[in-house]
Amino acid sequence: MHKLVENIFGWSYPLFKKLDFGETLSAYLSLAINIVVLTLIAYIIFTVFRYVLVRALIIIARRTKTRFDNFLVSNKTAKYISHLIPLLFVYKSVPIILQNFVYWEDIFGKLIAIYIVLLSLWIIKTILHAFRDHLKTNPSFSDKPIDSYIQVIMIILWIFGFIVIVSKIFDISTNAMLGTFGAVSAIIILIFRDTILGFVASVQVSLNDMVRIGDWITFDKFGADGDVVEINLATVKVRNFDNTTTTIPTYSLISDSFRNWRGMLDSRGRRIKRHILIKAQGIRFLKETELEELKRIQLITKYIDVRQSEINKFNTSHDIDKSLLINGRNMTNFGLFRKYITQYLSQHPGLNKDMILLCRQLQPTPQGIPLEIYAFSNDKRFENYEYIMADIFDHIFAAIPYFDLEIYEMPSGKNDFVN
């Protein structure tokens, strides 16, 4: 290539000198002609290669099954490569065109070299972005923090490019620059502290499968409650359910506690865990007449019959004095109500019967006795889940008076007067 460049630009100066224009004038005339020729050739090379490369890549992308070349087209990789080819030609031509202008040859040579380094880094960036976009179309990589890895690679390349540029500007060898770079590594670590922490965190998050793109997470410290839409080197973006966006430092995912709801979404049901408070003073033993009345509730008719038979048999065999209800074994309105709720839950179409399903009594509190429903809904979607839970508790609230029980409510402090 060097010989070709000499043949293209080396003829003008000897020609003008032979025509007795003098050395200075010959040099300037030769420079002017060579700049025009160089500009024209560079433009032709750029136009030809841009057309050929862009068209060729588009044709290849249309005829191949892989989508990687499609992303090369969308990221304009061929266009930037077509800029690089004429630039290399100009870089090789500068020493010959400016051979009589040593000072300017050094300056323009360095400027073009710097531009080549920056353009090369930009081309690599477009290729990496195409590779990233291609991986994101693969379900196996769609939830991985690919952006973080691309950013790390680009940071390393930019550091290397910076070293090359500085070595070109000050005419220092690359090895010497690397040695100097090692000496100031402590300062670099301080400057890129968040980036380094983010990289380490993103690797740990990926290896431990802590967070994926699309996961629903709750992070109270940052007020985040929504879906993860992006995982970068330094930040994780969460689109909250109110359509706001929360940005969380990546390293906070391993340094602080947060909740990932992926396990629930991947399971067969979404948990319902809610309790109501029953007034303790309303809990009592049931009389025979009351039991007969409650047998009309179909869900517990059979249970009352079986249970009453067992209790009567026990009391009779032990000669229990039933003149007082407290003697022997008895059924209570609260216990029967718990059984009713259990039967009701077992027949509810919105609950998963293959998972835990129970109605349990918790530790008594000053406000009453908590009665907790612990079950799992079939439908995990937020609005349907809330509807199922509301439907269950609507029924519970309406059923409580049938068992002569009351729900605890805080006194309002307002007296109701009846005229």
Side-chain angles (χ1 to χ4, degrees):
M1 185 175 180
H2 183 73
K3 190 68 176 176
L4 176 63
V5 172
E6 282 186 346
N7 292 333
I8 295 175
F9 300 106
W11 58 270
S12 57
Y13 178 73
L15 177 63
F16 287 121
K17 192 173 181 182
K18 187 176 180 180
L19 295 173
D20 295 328
F21 281 98
E23 291 188 4
T24 304
L25 183 58
S26 297
Y28 279 106
L29 289 174
S30 174
L31 176 62
I33 291 176
N34 285 336
I35 290 175
V36 174
V37 174
L38 177 63
T39 304
L40 182 61
I41 293 175
Y43 179 75
I44 293 173
I45 293 174
F46 166 71
T47 304
V48 172
F49 273 92
R50 183 179 63 176
Y51 179 81
V52 172
L53 289 177
V54 172
R55 294 295 300 173
L57 190 57
I58 291 175
I59 293 172
I60 292 172
R62 288 175 179 174
R63 294 185 179 182
T64 56
K65 294 182 179 180
T66 179
R67 300 184 64 183
F68 177 68
D69 41 23
N70 294 338
F71 292 117
L72 288 175
V73 173
S74 62
N75 283 281
K76 302 179 180 179
T77 304
K79 178 182 176 181
Y80 292 116
I81 294 176
S82 64
H83 282 84
L84 182 61
I85 295 172
L87 196 62
L88 293 173
F89 177 77
V90 172
Y91 181 72
K92 290 292 185 180
S93 304
V94 165
I96 297 174
I97 293 176
L98 298 176
Q99 60 182 343
N100 297 314
F101 303 88
V102 179
Y103 175 76
W104 292 108
E105 176 189 345
D106 183 60
I107 293 177
F108 279 101
K110 290 179 179 179
L111 290 175
I112 295 173
I114 292 171
Y115 188 35
I116 290 174
V117 172
L118 295 176
L119 186 58
S120 300
L121 290 173
W122 196 263
I123 292 171
I124 294 173
K125 181 181 178 181
T126 62
I127 296 173
L128 290 175
H129 282 187
F131 185 65
R132 175 202 64 189
D133 297 338
H134 176 65
L135 288 180
K136 285 187 175 182
T137 61
N138 189 331
S140 302
F141 295 94
S142 60
D143 54 0
K144 298 296 186 295
I146 301 172
D147 291 308
S148 299
Y149 303 132
I150 298 297
Q151 288 176 355
V152 170
I153 294 172
M154 285 308 303
I155 287 174
I156 295 173
L157 291 175
W158 279 111
I159 291 173
F160 182 75
F162 174 77
I163 293 172
V164 173
I165 290 172
V166 173
S167 64
K168 287 290 184 183
I169 293 175
F170 298 102
D171 293 323
I172 304 172
S173 67
T174 305
N175 292 333
M177 278 296 301
L178 289 173
T180 306
F181 185 77
V184 297
S185 58
I187 299 176
I188 293 174
I189 291 174
L190 182 63
I191 295 174
F192 294 101
R193 172 184 173 274
D194 290 340
T195 303
I196 295 171
L197 288 174
F199 171 65
V200 174
S202 63
V203 171
Q204 290 185 344
V205 165
S206 178
L207 292 177
N208 297 322
D209 200 20
M210 297 169 63
V211 176
R212 301 176 189 169
I213 295 174
D215 282 357
W216 168 20
I217 67 170
T218 303
F219 209 140
D220 294 332
K221 179 178 178 180
F222 295 95
D225 185 17
D227 298 326
V228 176
V229 294
E230 186 177 332
I231 302 177
N232 290 323
L233 188 63
T235 60
V236 173
K237 290 184 180 179
V238 178
R239 185 177 62 245
N240 300 311
F241 294 127
D242 58 358
N243 289 326
T244 60
T245 300
T246 301
T247 302
I248 303 171
T250 306
Y251 58 82
S252 294
L253 297 176
I254 60 175
S255 63
D256 296 308
S257 176
F258 69 98
R259 178 177 294 181
N260 191 331
W261 295 85
R262 188 202 314 157
M264 179 274 294
L265 295 173
D266 292 341
S267 69
R268 295 172 296 166
R270 183 171 178 179
R271 188 182 71 174
I272 297 174
K273 185 175 180 290
R274 182 179 290 184
H275 69 267
I276 57 175
L277 293 170
I278 303 295
K279 284 186 178 181
Q281 64 185 20
I283 300 174
R284 58 183 177 79
F285 296 119
L286 293 172
K287 300 176 182 179
E288 291 285 344
T289 54
E290 291 174 320
L291 288 173
E292 291 300 322
E293 181 66 22
L294 289 172
K295 283 183 183 180
R296 297 173 58 190
I297 302 176
Q298 294 180 349
L299 287 179
I300 55 174
T301 301
K302 185 177 180 180
Y303 172 78
I304 293 176
D305 286 335
V306 174
R307 188 66 173 162
Q308 190 175 18
S309 175
E310 292 176 352
I311 291 174
N312 290 338
K313 184 177 179 180
F314 176 86
N315 291 336
T316 301
S317 63
H318 289 78
D319 195 21
I320 302 298
D321 179 12
K322 293 303 296 175
S323 59
L324 288 176
L325 283 176
I326 194 172
N327 293 331
R329 297 175 63 184
N330 300 277
M331 280 188 281
T332 64
N333 58 345
F334 191 39
L336 204 55
F337 179 64
R338 290 202 318 274
K339 184 61 181 180
Y340 170 78
I341 297 301
T342 302
Q343 291 292 101
Y344 173 76
L345 295 177
S346 65
Q347 296 187 14
H348 197 285
L351 299 179
N352 189 333
K353 311 308 184 300
D354 296 327
M355 302 182 74
I356 296 176
L357 188 152
L358 58 86
C359 173
R360 61 176 180 170
Q361 181 185 146
L362 302 180
Q363 178 74 22
T365 68
Q367 289 77 33
I369 300 177
L371 183 69
E372 184 181 76
I373 306 303
Y374 196 103
F376 290 84
S377 66
N378 278 325
D379 200 327
K380 294 171 285 187
R381 290 173 295 180
F382 177 72
E383 60 276 15
N384 294 344
Y385 163 79
E386 290 291 337
Y387 174 82
I388 292 170
M389 185 163 56
D391 180 65
I392 291 172
F393 278 88
D394 285 348
H395 185 88
I396 292 174
F397 293 143
I400 285 176
Y402 286 86
F403 294 85
D404 199 23
L405 295 169
E406 292 184 67
I407 298 177
Y408 173 82
E409 292 181 346
M410 288 285 290
S412 64
K414 180 178 179 181
N415 296 323
D416 295 323
F417 296 93
V418 180
N419 294 330

